[in-house]
Amino acid sequence: MTKKTIIEMAEEFGLTVETAVLPEHENALRVYKGANQVFIGTEDAVRIFLTDYKKDRPGLLEGSMYAYKE
């Protein structure tokens, strides 16, 4: 079983990821939901965030096939 990339994990939720540099010159990743940043952190931190996001992701709004509670 192959470990999914962060990009693959994010795309499952309709999230996008871009690279960034933190003030300490550490590489980081920014996670976006549409135009809104929802998280920034190291690769390990983003992987943990996405794993938790999968568990805690809200369901669809009642009566809607498209809108989420997020």
Side-chain angles (χ1 to χ4, degrees):
M1 185 171 169
T2 308
K3 191 173 175 181
K4 290 184 181 179
T5 67
I6 288 179
I7 302 288
E8 292 171 328
M9 291 173 71
E11 287 177 347
E12 288 179 1
F13 307 118
L15 303 173
T16 55
V17 178
E18 72 176 28
T19 58
V21 177
L22 296 176
E24 304 84 37
H25 304 287
E26 185 176 354
N27 290 334
L29 299 170
R30 293 180 193 268
V31 180
Y32 291 92
K33 175 80 174 174
N36 298 318
Q37 179 179 309
V38 293
F39 190 80
I40 185 169
T42 62
E43 184 174 341
D44 290 337
V46 171
R47 188 170 293 281
I48 291 167
F49 167 78
L50 292 172
T51 301
D52 289 343
Y53 189 85
K54 183 175 185 176
K55 288 186 268 183
D56 299 332
R57 187 173 185 206
L60 289 171
L61 289 172
E62 194 170 312
S64 173
M65 292 181 7
Y66 307 104
Y68 286 92
K69 295 178 184 176
E70 302 175 291

